[in-house]
Amino acid sequence: MTPLQFPRLCGLLFCLLIAGDLAADWHDPQPFRRDRLDGRQFEYNAESFLHRFSFEAKPALGYSRRVSREGLRGTAGSTRSSELYVNMEARARFDMDGPAFAEYRFRRFEDFDGRYDSNLIGVGAEYGDWRATLRGDVVGAKEDIDLQYELRWGNGAGSHIRAVLVQVDAMYNSKQGEGGYERYPFTGYLEGVWLAPGNVAVYGFINSNRPTRLSEAERDFRLRDEQHAVGVGMDVPMGRNWAVGLELEGLYGVRRRDGYAAPGMNDQRLRRRFGAGTLELRQTVRQDLSAWYGVRYLRLVEDDRRPGDPDAWNRASRRETMIYGGVRWQWRERVALSPGVFLNHVDNRERFPFAADQNDRERGFYGKLAPAVELLVNRRTGGTISINPTVRLHRLAFGGGNIQADFPF
């Protein structure tokens, strides 16, 4: 890639972000869940996204981090005295005689609507460059079972594309006495990686939850919900010792809930817009020492209108700009030191049109020091555990402990 081509590609990706206030999960579909209607079980504060970003493995970007791998990996870190940020996944494949195989996938994560688990068991077949898989999120209550149909193509050199169709609550209506889906929730998911000449990688995903209509007679409401998300990234080597990464992601969702017996009491109009961009530079200083530097911007707007509950009617707006950096030094064969610094400027507002005394604004700089220590615990597979006690820099206090694990199979 020439120096003139790289800025043009960056400009194109930024235009994609600006054009759509559009992100969900870079690894898997993120389908509709009925428990989304209850709202998230936690609240965001000025440090919430700073904690979450600093608790993930660094450097943050690179297409290899976005490609699914067999193994067990995850991170868990304290964001409050009563709250953990958890991002865990396990993947395993079991080959059978012939082209058939079985697989297992577990995920524990969170999104803007709350925390969730996904527990998938699947079977499939592989023919040359093609793979077809059927999975089910199998639970005791049959009405809660999701089905996934996936078709994947890969060229063996790292490039691939896969399409997934998720049939949410596939048997829900047949198990209900009254009510149910008037329009079933289906999710389409498209994900892929293209390895271009010069070891340039372009990757991304699209997640689309089609408009859904649900009638809940016992809870006295009818619901309409849809959500669309996209993410695109690129990884570009710049000579022998440098690489630059760029990721853009966005999400747009709307929800409308109308009460039956008492119009207004159960009514809700929710509109959510999210966009984020991360630019990262990585350097190999020498064989045992590397460094990374980055900047990240995010914007989240949630307009939650509650005609029947004016005190809960609010509009939340978050703007956060972060600069971060760190190094990784292989101190001993089994011990690496990976300290990082994260400096975040927030401008967050929450406005209550009918309860002005609850209006709130958080503005200023928040920072963390994360002196992570990485331990190699399995030479054969490269399995590691990282211990990451962090320190708040804006008020010199403990910033929450974090443990990261990565055990490839």
Side-chain angles (χ1 to χ4, degrees):
M1 174 172 290
T2 68
L4 291 177
Q5 291 175 319
F6 178 67
R8 291 176 183 173
L9 281 174
C10 292
L12 174 61
L13 291 176
F14 274 112
C15 287
L16 288 173
L17 178 67
I18 295 171
D21 255 358
L22 300 162
D25 195 318
W26 290 80
H27 293 94
D28 290 302
Q30 197 172 47
F32 171 80
R33 311 187 310 273
R34 294 200 314 277
D35 60 9
R36 286 172 52 179
L37 310 183
D38 299 322
R40 56 179 174 257
Q41 310 92 333
F42 49 90
E43 295 183 0
Y44 294 132
N45 61 23
E47 300 178 13
S48 292
F49 290 109
L50 172 63
H51 286 315
R52 284 160 171 77
F53 188 74
S54 67
F55 286 161
E56 294 287 353
K58 296 294 177 294
L61 304 191
Y63 85 96
S64 60
R65 293 178 48 77
R66 301 308 189 191
V67 178
S68 301
R69 296 179 294 137
E70 289 188 68
L72 173 65
R73 60 191 54 84
T75 180
S78 176
T79 56
R80 287 188 176 94
S81 60
S82 59
E83 178 184 288
L84 277 179
Y85 168 66
V86 179
N87 182 1
M88 300 170 55
E89 66 173 335
R91 295 173 182 260
R93 170 173 160 159
F94 309 93
D95 291 327
M96 305 181 192
D97 294 335
F101 62 88
E103 67 173 27
Y104 173 72
R105 296 185 177 185
F106 170 80
R107 187 76 189 276
R108 175 164 291 169
F109 198 32
E110 66 178 48
D111 59 16
F112 295 130
D113 287 302
R115 304 182 181 101
Y116 66 89
D117 291 342
S118 175
N119 202 41
L120 296 168
I121 298 175
V123 293
E126 194 166 25
Y127 297 92
D129 295 336
W130 293 90
R131 181 193 306 167
T133 311
L134 169 63
R135 304 186 190 92
D137 194 347
V138 182
V139 294
K142 294 181 180 179
E143 65 268 23
D144 295 334
I145 293 176
D146 295 349
L147 297 177
Q148 291 191 7
Y149 313 90
E150 177 178 312
L151 184 63
R152 183 186 188 278
W153 172 87
N155 64 2
S159 297
H160 75 264
I161 187 169
R162 64 188 181 110
V164 185
L165 177 66
V166 184
Q167 187 178 1
V168 180
D169 299 337
M171 296 180 282
Y172 187 79
N173 281 7
S174 64
K175 306 302 176 183
Q176 303 301 305
E178 56 180 315
Y181 287 106
E182 298 173 359
R183 188 173 185 180
Y184 255 97
F186 284 90
T187 294
Y189 184 78
L190 188 66
E191 178 266 337
V193 174
W194 174 49
L195 295 183
N199 292 322
V200 175
V202 180
Y203 54 96
F205 75 91
I206 298 174
N207 190 97
S208 181
N209 297 346
R210 80 162 198 169
T212 296
R213 296 186 181 183
L214 173 64
S215 176
E216 286 276 8
E218 292 185 1
R219 300 178 64 181
D220 185 35
F221 66 77
R222 177 182 285 113
L223 174 83
R224 299 180 183 182
D225 185 277
E226 67 175 297
Q227 183 169 280
H228 309 281
V230 64
V232 61
M234 62 188 304
D235 206 38
V236 184
M238 308 288 284
R240 295 181 57 185
N241 299 323
W242 294 86
V244 64
L246 173 67
E247 284 187 3
L248 304 173
E249 54 184 313
L251 176 147
Y252 178 78
V254 291
R255 183 176 306 153
R256 174 172 177 169
R257 188 174 64 195
D258 296 300
Y260 281 131
M265 295 305 296
N266 274 331
D267 288 1
Q268 180 188 27
R269 306 289 186 270
L270 175 65
R271 176 172 294 179
R272 176 180 292 133
R273 292 173 295 160
F274 168 76
T278 307
L279 179 66
E280 185 177 85
L281 187 65
R282 302 187 299 276
Q283 177 188 13
T284 301
V285 181
R286 56 177 191 254
Q287 186 175 2
D288 63 340
L289 182 65
S290 58
W292 35 268
Y293 328 88
V295 59
R296 177 174 172 82
Y297 172 80
L298 71 83
R299 170 78 163 152
L300 173 63
V301 178
E302 294 179 311
D303 192 0
D304 191 359
R305 304 184 180 188
R306 307 285 185 109
D309 189 3
D311 289 344
W313 187 322
N314 77 91
R315 187 176 192 270
S317 173
R318 309 182 67 89
R319 294 177 186 265
E320 303 193 9
T321 305
M322 179 191 300
I323 58 174
Y324 65 94
V327 299
R328 183 183 186 278
W329 175 39
Q330 192 68 47
W331 181 48
R332 295 286 187 271
E333 180 189 1
R334 288 180 174 266
V335 182
L337 307 180
S338 301
V341 176
F342 306 83
L343 302 176
N344 198 31
H345 180 267
V346 305
D347 186 1
N348 301 333
R349 299 185 182 188
E350 196 167 15
R351 288 177 284 180
F352 295 82
F354 299 97
D357 59 311
Q358 299 184 52
N359 289 350
D360 189 27
R361 184 176 188 183
E362 298 169 316
R363 187 176 186 181
F365 284 92
Y366 296 81
K368 291 183 72 176
L369 171 65
V373 178
E374 179 185 303
L375 307 175
L376 177 65
V377 296
N378 189 312
R379 283 196 184 97
R380 182 181 62 83
T381 64
T384 60
I385 293 178
S386 297
I387 303 172
N388 186 25
T390 65
V391 178
R392 289 179 172 93
L393 298 177
H394 52 282
R395 58 186 179 93
L396 293 180
F398 180 59
N402 168 241
I403 295 178
Q404 303 165 15
D406 187 356
F407 298 109
F409 289 166

